[in-house]
Short mmCIF file of all heavy atoms in Angstrom, two decimals:
data_model
loop_
_atom_site.label_atom_id
_atom_site.label_comp_id
_atom_site.label_asym_id
_atom_site.label_seq_id
_atom_site.Cartn_x
_atom_site.Cartn_y
_atom_site.Cartn_z
N MET A 1 93.67 191.50 86.61
CA MET A 1 94.32 192.73 85.97
C MET A 1 94.67 193.68 87.09
O MET A 1 93.75 194.06 87.83
CB MET A 1 93.29 193.20 84.91
CG MET A 1 93.98 194.50 84.33
SD MET A 1 92.74 195.25 83.22
CE MET A 1 93.78 195.27 81.85
N VAL A 2 95.83 194.14 87.08
CA VAL A 2 96.37 195.16 88.00
C VAL A 2 96.30 196.54 87.38
O VAL A 2 96.80 196.74 86.22
CB VAL A 2 97.74 194.82 88.54
CG1 VAL A 2 98.20 195.90 89.33
CG2 VAL A 2 97.75 193.45 89.12
N ILE A 3 95.59 197.50 87.99
CA ILE A 3 95.53 198.78 87.40
C ILE A 3 96.34 199.68 88.30
O ILE A 3 96.25 199.70 89.49
CB ILE A 3 93.97 199.21 87.53
CG1 ILE A 3 93.24 198.53 86.55
CG2 ILE A 3 93.97 200.74 87.00
CD1 ILE A 3 91.75 198.74 86.75
N ARG A 4 97.33 200.43 87.65
CA ARG A 4 98.29 201.28 88.39
C ARG A 4 97.85 202.73 88.08
O ARG A 4 97.49 203.00 87.02
CB ARG A 4 99.76 201.05 87.86
CG ARG A 4 100.27 199.71 88.25
CD ARG A 4 101.63 199.68 87.93
NE ARG A 4 102.32 198.38 88.16
CZ ARG A 4 103.46 198.06 87.91
NH1 ARG A 4 104.24 198.78 87.19
NH2 ARG A 4 104.01 196.79 88.25
N SER A 5 97.95 203.49 89.10
CA SER A 5 97.82 205.02 88.88
C SER A 5 99.01 205.55 88.19
O SER A 5 100.08 204.93 88.09
CB SER A 5 97.55 205.71 90.20
OG SER A 5 98.71 205.75 90.88
N LYS A 6 98.90 206.66 87.61
CA LYS A 6 99.98 207.35 86.86
C LYS A 6 101.22 207.55 87.76
O LYS A 6 102.30 207.53 87.44
CB LYS A 6 99.48 208.58 86.21
CG LYS A 6 100.42 209.06 85.22
CD LYS A 6 99.74 210.12 84.51
CE LYS A 6 100.53 210.51 83.18
NZ LYS A 6 99.92 211.45 82.38
N ALA A 7 100.99 207.94 89.12
CA ALA A 7 101.94 208.40 90.04
C ALA A 7 102.75 207.01 90.48
O ALA A 7 103.83 207.20 90.87
CB ALA A 7 101.36 208.90 91.20
N ALA A 8 102.21 205.87 90.40
CA ALA A 8 102.83 204.67 90.86
C ALA A 8 103.69 203.87 89.73
O ALA A 8 104.14 202.94 89.91
CB ALA A 8 101.78 203.63 91.34
N THR A 9 103.75 204.53 88.51
CA THR A 9 104.50 204.00 87.46
C THR A 9 106.07 204.06 87.69
O THR A 9 106.41 204.91 88.47
CB THR A 9 104.21 204.62 86.11
OG1 THR A 9 104.65 205.94 86.24
CG2 THR A 9 102.79 204.51 85.73
N PRO A 10 106.80 203.15 87.32
CA PRO A 10 108.16 203.17 87.56
C PRO A 10 108.90 204.48 87.07
O PRO A 10 109.72 205.06 87.63
CB PRO A 10 108.74 201.92 86.88
CG PRO A 10 107.60 201.04 86.73
CD PRO A 10 106.34 201.83 86.62
N ARG A 11 108.33 205.01 85.87
CA ARG A 11 108.88 206.18 85.41
C ARG A 11 108.76 207.42 86.25
O ARG A 11 109.58 208.21 86.35
CB ARG A 11 108.26 206.40 83.91
CG ARG A 11 108.90 207.47 83.24
CD ARG A 11 108.29 207.63 81.71
NE ARG A 11 109.36 208.09 80.90
CZ ARG A 11 109.88 207.48 79.92
NH1 ARG A 11 109.52 206.28 79.74
NH2 ARG A 11 110.91 207.95 79.26
N ALA A 12 107.52 207.54 86.84
CA ALA A 12 107.32 208.63 87.69
C ALA A 12 108.12 208.47 89.00
O ALA A 12 108.68 209.52 89.46
CB ALA A 12 105.78 208.63 88.11
N GLY A 13 108.37 207.20 89.42
CA GLY A 13 109.37 207.14 90.62
C GLY A 13 110.71 207.48 90.29
O GLY A 13 111.54 208.04 91.05
N LEU A 14 111.15 207.07 89.08
CA LEU A 14 112.49 207.43 88.57
C LEU A 14 112.72 208.97 88.53
O LEU A 14 113.68 209.51 88.85
CB LEU A 14 112.82 206.85 87.20
CG LEU A 14 114.08 207.04 86.62
CD1 LEU A 14 115.28 206.42 87.46
CD2 LEU A 14 114.30 206.40 85.12
N ARG A 15 111.65 209.70 88.02
CA ARG A 15 111.71 211.16 87.88
C ARG A 15 111.81 211.71 89.36
O ARG A 15 112.63 212.71 89.59
CB ARG A 15 110.49 211.73 87.35
CG ARG A 15 110.70 211.90 85.78
CD ARG A 15 109.61 212.71 85.29
NE ARG A 15 108.60 211.61 84.76
CZ ARG A 15 107.18 211.68 84.94
NH1 ARG A 15 106.82 212.74 85.42
NH2 ARG A 15 106.62 210.71 84.45
N TRP A 16 111.07 211.20 90.31
CA TRP A 16 111.15 211.69 91.66
C TRP A 16 112.49 211.38 92.26
O TRP A 16 113.13 212.29 92.85
CB TRP A 16 110.22 210.92 92.47
CG TRP A 16 110.24 211.13 94.04
CD1 TRP A 16 110.70 210.36 94.83
CD2 TRP A 16 109.85 212.33 94.79
NE1 TRP A 16 110.63 210.84 96.16
CE2 TRP A 16 110.07 212.19 96.02
CE3 TRP A 16 109.43 213.63 94.20
CZ2 TRP A 16 110.02 213.14 96.97
CZ3 TRP A 16 109.23 214.52 95.22
CH2 TRP A 16 109.49 214.29 96.60
N TRP A 17 113.14 210.26 92.01
CA TRP A 17 114.51 210.03 92.66
C TRP A 17 115.55 210.85 91.89
O TRP A 17 116.53 211.36 92.46
CB TRP A 17 114.87 208.58 92.50
CG TRP A 17 114.26 207.76 93.46
CD1 TRP A 17 113.28 206.86 93.37
CD2 TRP A 17 114.61 207.83 94.78
NE1 TRP A 17 112.92 206.17 94.48
CE2 TRP A 17 113.75 206.86 95.48
CE3 TRP A 17 115.56 208.48 95.53
CZ2 TRP A 17 113.89 206.71 96.88
CZ3 TRP A 17 115.54 208.22 96.96
CH2 TRP A 17 114.78 207.25 97.57
N ARG A 18 115.39 211.19 90.62
CA ARG A 18 116.32 212.19 89.97
C ARG A 18 116.22 213.64 90.54
O ARG A 18 117.23 214.16 90.75
CB ARG A 18 116.10 212.28 88.43
CG ARG A 18 116.48 210.92 87.73
CD ARG A 18 116.28 211.12 86.28
NE ARG A 18 116.73 210.01 85.54
CZ ARG A 18 116.41 209.52 84.40
NH1 ARG A 18 115.60 210.39 83.63
NH2 ARG A 18 116.94 208.48 83.81
N LEU A 19 115.14 214.11 90.72
CA LEU A 19 114.85 215.26 91.40
C LEU A 19 115.44 215.34 92.77
O LEU A 19 116.23 216.25 93.27
CB LEU A 19 113.41 215.81 91.53
CG LEU A 19 112.69 216.11 90.14
CD1 LEU A 19 111.28 216.30 90.27
CD2 LEU A 19 113.30 217.39 89.65
N LEU A 20 115.11 214.27 93.61
CA LEU A 20 115.60 214.25 95.04
C LEU A 20 117.11 214.05 95.05
O LEU A 20 117.84 214.82 95.73
CB LEU A 20 115.04 213.07 95.69
CG LEU A 20 115.39 212.89 97.22
CD1 LEU A 20 114.87 214.11 97.99
CD2 LEU A 20 114.65 211.65 97.67
N GLY A 21 117.78 213.19 94.14
CA GLY A 21 119.15 213.03 94.07
C GLY A 21 119.95 214.25 93.69
O GLY A 21 120.90 214.63 94.23
N GLY A 22 119.35 215.07 92.78
CA GLY A 22 119.93 216.34 92.41
C GLY A 22 119.88 217.35 93.55
O GLY A 22 120.98 217.96 93.82
N ALA A 23 119.03 217.38 94.38
CA ALA A 23 118.90 218.30 95.54
C ALA A 23 119.84 217.73 96.65
O ALA A 23 120.57 218.54 97.18
CB ALA A 23 117.44 218.23 96.12
N VAL A 24 119.90 216.45 96.79
CA VAL A 24 120.97 215.87 97.86
C VAL A 24 122.33 216.17 97.26
O VAL A 24 123.17 216.57 98.15
CB VAL A 24 120.63 214.53 98.25
CG1 VAL A 24 121.83 213.80 98.95
CG2 VAL A 24 119.17 214.42 98.85
N ARG A 25 122.61 215.89 96.00
CA ARG A 25 123.96 215.94 95.69
C ARG A 25 124.43 217.37 95.59
O ARG A 25 125.56 217.65 95.85
CB ARG A 25 124.12 215.41 94.15
CG ARG A 25 124.69 214.07 94.12
CD ARG A 25 124.82 213.58 92.65
NE ARG A 25 123.64 212.70 92.28
CZ ARG A 25 122.88 213.00 91.43
NH1 ARG A 25 123.08 214.03 90.51
NH2 ARG A 25 121.82 212.11 91.12
N GLY A 26 123.51 218.28 95.43
CA GLY A 26 123.87 219.64 95.29
C GLY A 26 124.28 220.25 96.84
O GLY A 26 125.18 221.17 96.84
N GLU A 27 123.92 219.59 97.74
CA GLU A 27 124.25 220.06 99.12
C GLU A 27 125.30 219.14 99.82
O GLU A 27 125.86 219.45 100.87
CB GLU A 27 122.98 219.99 100.11
CG GLU A 27 121.91 220.89 99.63
CD GLU A 27 122.22 222.34 99.98
OE1 GLU A 27 122.91 222.58 100.99
OE2 GLU A 27 121.93 223.28 99.15
N ALA A 28 125.67 218.04 99.13
CA ALA A 28 126.50 217.02 99.80
C ALA A 28 127.93 217.65 99.97
O ALA A 28 128.56 217.45 101.13
CB ALA A 28 126.57 215.88 98.88
N GLY A 29 128.39 218.44 99.12
CA GLY A 29 129.87 218.94 99.30
C GLY A 29 129.98 220.13 100.25
O GLY A 29 131.03 220.55 100.64
N MET A 30 128.77 220.78 100.63
CA MET A 30 128.85 221.96 101.37
C MET A 30 129.43 221.71 102.64
O MET A 30 130.36 222.55 103.16
CB MET A 30 127.45 222.64 101.43
CG MET A 30 126.98 223.11 100.10
SD MET A 30 126.02 224.57 100.10
CE MET A 30 126.42 225.49 101.57
N SER A 31 129.11 220.62 103.41
CA SER A 31 129.65 220.30 104.63
C SER A 31 131.23 220.11 104.60
O SER A 31 132.03 220.52 105.57
CB SER A 31 128.92 219.25 105.35
OG SER A 31 129.15 218.14 104.56
N THR A 32 131.59 219.46 103.55
CA THR A 32 133.01 219.16 103.38
C THR A 32 133.77 220.52 103.26
O THR A 32 134.89 220.62 103.74
CB THR A 32 133.23 218.18 102.17
OG1 THR A 32 132.38 217.08 102.38
CG2 THR A 32 134.65 217.85 101.96
N VAL A 33 133.32 221.25 102.36
CA VAL A 33 133.95 222.56 102.06
C VAL A 33 133.97 223.47 103.31
O VAL A 33 135.06 224.03 103.75
CB VAL A 33 133.23 223.42 100.80
CG1 VAL A 33 133.83 224.85 100.93
CG2 VAL A 33 133.47 222.65 99.67
N GLU A 34 132.92 223.48 104.07
CA GLU A 34 132.83 224.24 105.35
C GLU A 34 133.78 223.69 106.33
O GLU A 34 134.45 224.47 107.09
CB GLU A 34 131.40 224.40 105.88
CG GLU A 34 130.42 225.12 105.06
CD GLU A 34 128.93 224.90 105.38
OE1 GLU A 34 128.72 224.06 106.26
OE2 GLU A 34 128.13 225.52 104.91
N TYR A 35 133.80 222.45 106.39
CA TYR A 35 134.72 221.70 107.33
C TYR A 35 136.27 222.08 107.00
O TYR A 35 137.04 222.40 107.77
CB TYR A 35 134.55 220.21 107.36
CG TYR A 35 135.43 219.47 108.23
CD1 TYR A 35 135.32 219.54 109.45
CD2 TYR A 35 136.57 218.66 107.59
CE1 TYR A 35 136.07 218.67 110.47
CE2 TYR A 35 137.34 217.97 108.55
CZ TYR A 35 137.11 217.97 109.88
OH TYR A 35 137.96 217.29 110.72
N ALA A 36 136.47 222.06 105.76
CA ALA A 36 137.92 222.37 105.27
C ALA A 36 138.18 223.83 105.57
O ALA A 36 139.46 224.08 106.00
CB ALA A 36 138.04 222.20 103.77
N ILE A 37 137.44 224.72 105.45
CA ILE A 37 137.56 226.23 105.57
C ILE A 37 137.73 226.37 107.11
O ILE A 37 138.72 226.99 107.54
CB ILE A 37 136.49 226.97 105.03
CG1 ILE A 37 136.56 227.09 103.50
CG2 ILE A 37 136.52 228.46 105.64
CD1 ILE A 37 135.50 227.76 102.77
N GLY A 38 136.98 225.68 107.93
CA GLY A 38 137.11 225.83 109.27
C GLY A 38 138.42 225.18 109.84
O GLY A 38 138.98 225.73 110.66
N THR A 39 138.89 224.19 109.24
CA THR A 39 140.20 223.53 109.62
C THR A 39 141.37 224.58 109.30
O THR A 39 142.14 224.66 110.16
CB THR A 39 140.44 222.20 108.83
OG1 THR A 39 139.25 221.39 109.35
CG2 THR A 39 141.56 221.55 109.32
N VAL A 40 141.27 225.16 108.06
CA VAL A 40 142.29 226.07 107.75
C VAL A 40 142.27 227.26 108.56
O VAL A 40 143.38 227.72 109.06
CB VAL A 40 142.16 226.47 106.17
CG1 VAL A 40 143.10 227.61 105.92
CG2 VAL A 40 142.37 225.23 105.32
N ALA A 41 141.19 227.67 108.89
CA ALA A 41 140.99 228.90 109.72
C ALA A 41 141.48 228.59 111.18
O ALA A 41 142.26 229.51 111.84
CB ALA A 41 139.53 229.39 109.90
N ALA A 42 141.26 227.39 111.69
CA ALA A 42 141.70 227.04 112.91
C ALA A 42 143.25 226.87 113.03
O ALA A 42 143.94 227.30 113.97
CB ALA A 42 141.12 225.67 113.45
N ALA A 43 143.76 226.32 111.98
CA ALA A 43 145.29 226.13 111.87
C ALA A 43 145.94 227.59 111.82
O ALA A 43 146.98 227.71 112.37
CB ALA A 43 145.65 225.36 110.53
N ALA A 44 145.33 228.50 111.06
CA ALA A 44 145.95 229.84 110.89
C ALA A 44 145.91 230.53 112.25
O ALA A 44 146.81 231.09 112.73
CB ALA A 44 145.24 230.56 109.95
N PHE A 45 144.75 230.26 112.89
CA PHE A 45 144.64 230.94 114.32
C PHE A 45 145.67 230.41 115.31
O PHE A 45 146.22 231.11 116.07
CB PHE A 45 143.24 230.71 114.86
CG PHE A 45 143.02 231.34 116.19
CD1 PHE A 45 143.04 232.76 116.37
CD2 PHE A 45 142.90 230.55 117.31
CE1 PHE A 45 142.81 233.30 117.52
CE2 PHE A 45 142.64 231.14 118.55
CZ PHE A 45 142.65 232.55 118.67
N ALA A 46 145.83 229.16 115.22
CA ALA A 46 146.80 228.30 116.05
C ALA A 46 148.30 228.94 115.73
O ALA A 46 149.01 229.21 116.60
CB ALA A 46 146.85 226.94 115.87
N ALA A 47 148.61 229.25 114.52
CA ALA A 47 149.94 229.61 114.04
C ALA A 47 150.18 230.99 114.62
O ALA A 47 151.20 231.39 115.11
CB ALA A 47 150.01 229.69 112.44
N VAL A 48 149.15 231.90 114.39
CA VAL A 48 149.22 233.25 114.96
C VAL A 48 149.37 233.22 116.52
O VAL A 48 150.20 233.90 117.04
CB VAL A 48 148.04 234.08 114.56
CG1 VAL A 48 147.95 235.51 115.26
CG2 VAL A 48 148.05 234.40 112.99
N LEU A 49 148.65 232.45 117.19
CA LEU A 49 148.70 232.29 118.63
C LEU A 49 149.96 231.87 119.17
O LEU A 49 150.65 232.38 119.98
CB LEU A 49 147.50 231.44 119.09
CG LEU A 49 147.48 231.31 120.68
CD1 LEU A 49 146.98 232.64 121.15
CD2 LEU A 49 146.36 230.36 121.01
N TYR A 50 150.61 230.97 118.37
CA TYR A 50 151.88 230.35 118.66
C TYR A 50 152.86 231.40 118.58
O TYR A 50 153.85 231.55 119.44
CB TYR A 50 152.30 229.13 117.82
CG TYR A 50 153.61 228.59 118.06
CD1 TYR A 50 153.82 227.83 119.12
CD2 TYR A 50 154.64 228.92 117.24
CE1 TYR A 50 155.13 227.23 119.40
CE2 TYR A 50 155.87 228.37 117.41
CZ TYR A 50 156.21 227.61 118.43
OH TYR A 50 157.41 227.16 118.71
N THR A 51 152.82 232.16 117.51
CA THR A 51 153.76 233.33 117.20
C THR A 51 153.70 234.39 118.40
O THR A 51 154.74 234.81 118.86
CB THR A 51 153.48 234.01 115.90
OG1 THR A 51 153.57 232.98 114.94
CG2 THR A 51 154.56 235.02 115.55
N VAL A 52 152.61 234.57 118.75
CA VAL A 52 152.35 235.62 119.75
C VAL A 52 152.78 235.24 121.06
O VAL A 52 153.55 235.88 121.79
CB VAL A 52 150.85 236.12 119.91
CG1 VAL A 52 150.69 236.92 121.19
CG2 VAL A 52 150.49 236.82 118.63
N VAL A 53 152.51 233.95 121.59
CA VAL A 53 152.90 233.30 122.81
C VAL A 53 154.43 233.19 122.89
O VAL A 53 155.07 233.33 123.88
CB VAL A 53 152.11 232.04 123.09
CG1 VAL A 53 152.73 231.34 124.29
CG2 VAL A 53 150.63 232.38 123.30
N THR A 54 155.02 232.80 121.77
CA THR A 54 156.46 232.51 121.77
C THR A 54 157.29 233.80 121.52
O THR A 54 158.54 233.79 121.66
CB THR A 54 156.95 231.50 120.75
OG1 THR A 54 156.54 231.92 119.50
CG2 THR A 54 156.41 230.14 121.11
N GLY A 55 156.71 234.95 121.38
CA GLY A 55 157.30 236.25 121.30
C GLY A 55 157.98 236.68 122.51
O GLY A 55 157.68 236.16 123.68
N ASP A 56 159.01 237.64 122.48
CA ASP A 56 159.81 238.08 123.61
C ASP A 56 158.98 238.73 124.73
O ASP A 56 159.08 238.53 125.90
CB ASP A 56 160.82 239.17 123.17
CG ASP A 56 161.84 238.31 122.31
OD1 ASP A 56 162.04 237.15 122.61
OD2 ASP A 56 162.59 239.10 121.61
N ALA A 57 157.91 239.60 124.21
CA ALA A 57 157.10 240.34 125.24
C ALA A 57 156.25 239.35 126.08
O ALA A 57 156.32 239.51 127.32
CB ALA A 57 156.19 241.32 124.57
N VAL A 58 155.68 238.42 125.44
CA VAL A 58 154.74 237.43 126.18
C VAL A 58 155.68 236.40 127.10
O VAL A 58 155.24 236.21 128.30
CB VAL A 58 153.85 236.52 125.28
CG1 VAL A 58 153.05 235.56 125.97
CG2 VAL A 58 152.94 237.43 124.59
N THR A 59 156.71 236.04 126.58
CA THR A 59 157.56 235.10 127.26
C THR A 59 158.19 235.82 128.57
O THR A 59 158.10 235.33 129.66
CB THR A 59 158.84 234.69 126.47
OG1 THR A 59 158.18 233.95 125.22
CG2 THR A 59 159.51 233.65 127.27
N GLY A 60 158.59 237.11 128.37
CA GLY A 60 159.03 237.83 129.55
C GLY A 60 158.00 238.11 130.47
O GLY A 60 158.20 238.06 131.70
N ALA A 61 156.78 238.38 130.16
CA ALA A 61 155.69 238.66 131.11
C ALA A 61 155.31 237.38 131.76
O ALA A 61 155.04 237.48 132.97
CB ALA A 61 154.40 239.06 130.36
N LEU A 62 155.35 236.12 131.16
CA LEU A 62 155.03 234.85 131.84
C LEU A 62 156.19 234.61 132.84
O LEU A 62 155.82 234.08 133.89
CB LEU A 62 154.97 233.81 130.84
CG LEU A 62 153.61 233.81 129.99
CD1 LEU A 62 153.57 232.76 128.91
CD2 LEU A 62 152.33 233.66 130.88
N GLU A 63 157.38 234.71 132.47
CA GLU A 63 158.49 234.54 133.44
C GLU A 63 158.36 235.50 134.60
O GLU A 63 158.63 235.08 135.73
CB GLU A 63 159.78 234.82 132.75
CG GLU A 63 160.19 233.72 131.72
CD GLU A 63 161.48 233.96 130.93
OE1 GLU A 63 162.04 235.04 131.34
OE2 GLU A 63 161.80 233.22 130.12
N ALA A 64 158.08 236.80 134.40
CA ALA A 64 157.76 237.68 135.54
C ALA A 64 156.69 237.32 136.40
O ALA A 64 156.86 237.30 137.68
CB ALA A 64 157.67 239.13 134.95
N LEU A 65 155.70 236.75 135.83
CA LEU A 65 154.54 236.30 136.59
C LEU A 65 154.80 235.11 137.48
O LEU A 65 154.36 234.96 138.58
CB LEU A 65 153.30 235.93 135.59
CG LEU A 65 152.03 235.41 136.35
CD1 LEU A 65 151.44 236.61 137.12
CD2 LEU A 65 151.05 234.89 135.28
N VAL A 66 155.56 234.08 136.86
CA VAL A 66 156.04 232.97 137.54
C VAL A 66 156.97 233.31 138.75
O VAL A 66 156.81 232.83 139.84
CB VAL A 66 156.67 231.90 136.68
CG1 VAL A 66 157.33 230.78 137.35
CG2 VAL A 66 155.57 231.33 135.62
N GLN A 67 157.89 234.18 138.40
CA GLN A 67 158.86 234.59 139.52
C GLN A 67 158.17 235.31 140.58
O GLN A 67 158.38 234.96 141.78
CB GLN A 67 159.96 235.59 138.83
CG GLN A 67 160.90 234.79 137.97
CD GLN A 67 161.83 233.83 138.74
OE1 GLN A 67 161.95 233.96 139.96
NE2 GLN A 67 162.14 232.73 138.06
N ARG A 68 157.18 236.24 140.29
CA ARG A 68 156.42 236.83 141.41
C ARG A 68 155.69 235.73 142.26
O ARG A 68 155.59 235.94 143.34
CB ARG A 68 155.48 237.87 140.69
CG ARG A 68 154.93 238.84 141.68
CD ARG A 68 154.15 239.93 141.00
NE ARG A 68 152.87 239.47 140.58
CZ ARG A 68 152.03 239.97 139.81
NH1 ARG A 68 152.41 241.20 139.31
NH2 ARG A 68 150.87 239.38 139.47
N ALA A 69 155.07 234.78 141.51
CA ALA A 69 154.26 233.79 142.21
C ALA A 69 155.10 232.87 143.09
O ALA A 69 154.70 232.72 144.24
CB ALA A 69 153.43 232.87 141.15
N LEU A 70 156.32 232.64 142.65
CA LEU A 70 157.26 231.86 143.43
C LEU A 70 157.74 232.58 144.64
O LEU A 70 158.25 231.95 145.66
CB LEU A 70 158.39 231.20 142.57
CG LEU A 70 157.92 230.21 141.50
CD1 LEU A 70 159.06 229.84 140.63
CD2 LEU A 70 157.30 228.97 142.13
N SER A 71 157.91 233.92 144.42
CA SER A 71 158.64 234.57 145.56
C SER A 71 157.53 235.26 146.51
O SER A 71 157.84 236.12 147.35
CB SER A 71 159.43 235.77 144.96
OG SER A 71 158.70 236.63 144.25
N ALA A 72 156.35 234.97 146.41
CA ALA A 72 155.33 235.59 147.17
C ALA A 72 155.40 235.02 148.61
O ALA A 72 155.70 233.93 148.89
CB ALA A 72 153.88 235.21 146.71
N ASN A 73 155.21 235.93 149.54
CA ASN A 73 155.28 235.63 151.11
C ASN A 73 153.97 235.20 151.41
O ASN A 73 152.88 235.89 151.26
CB ASN A 73 155.69 236.78 151.82
CG ASN A 73 157.14 237.17 151.47
OD1 ASN A 73 157.88 236.36 151.08
ND2 ASN A 73 157.45 238.56 151.61
N LEU A 74 153.86 234.06 152.04
CA LEU A 74 152.58 233.56 152.44
C LEU A 74 152.36 233.89 153.92
O LEU A 74 152.91 233.81 154.88
CB LEU A 74 152.47 232.06 152.30
CG LEU A 74 152.44 231.65 150.76
CD1 LEU A 74 152.34 230.12 150.68
CD2 LEU A 74 151.20 232.27 149.93
#
């Protein structure tokens, strides 16, 4: 005859897995949402940076810098 303790019953194990599964499922989507928000923020930052760099002021400054570097006397 096998004597089982109350904690070793299948029903107790099932309750444990339900509790554990609920905790894991509650956190599972958080990394996906954080990843999506980070991706959107990076894309927005890239768009703003592209707009600034391709603007007339920055382009003119970069051209002046390159011209000055090319015409430098060594």
Side-chain angles (χ1 to χ4, degrees):
M1 174 181 236
V2 176
I3 300 174
R4 293 184 179 176
S5 69
K6 197 171 192 175
T9 62
R11 184 174 214 111
L14 182 61
R15 269 187 267 135
W16 171 253
W17 279 109
R18 282 184 182 159
L19 287 172
L20 183 62
V24 171
R25 261 185 262 120
E27 297 289 325
M30 295 221 17
S31 63
T32 304
V33 170
E34 290 169 351
Y35 180 75
I37 290 172
T39 302
V40 169
F45 180 72
V48 169
L49 187 61
Y50 177 77
T51 303
V52 168
V53 169
T54 57
D56 292 334
V58 175
T59 304
L62 287 174
E63 286 177 4
L65 180 66
V66 169
Q67 287 297 326
R68 196 173 74 194
L70 292 176
S71 65
N73 294 328
L74 296 176

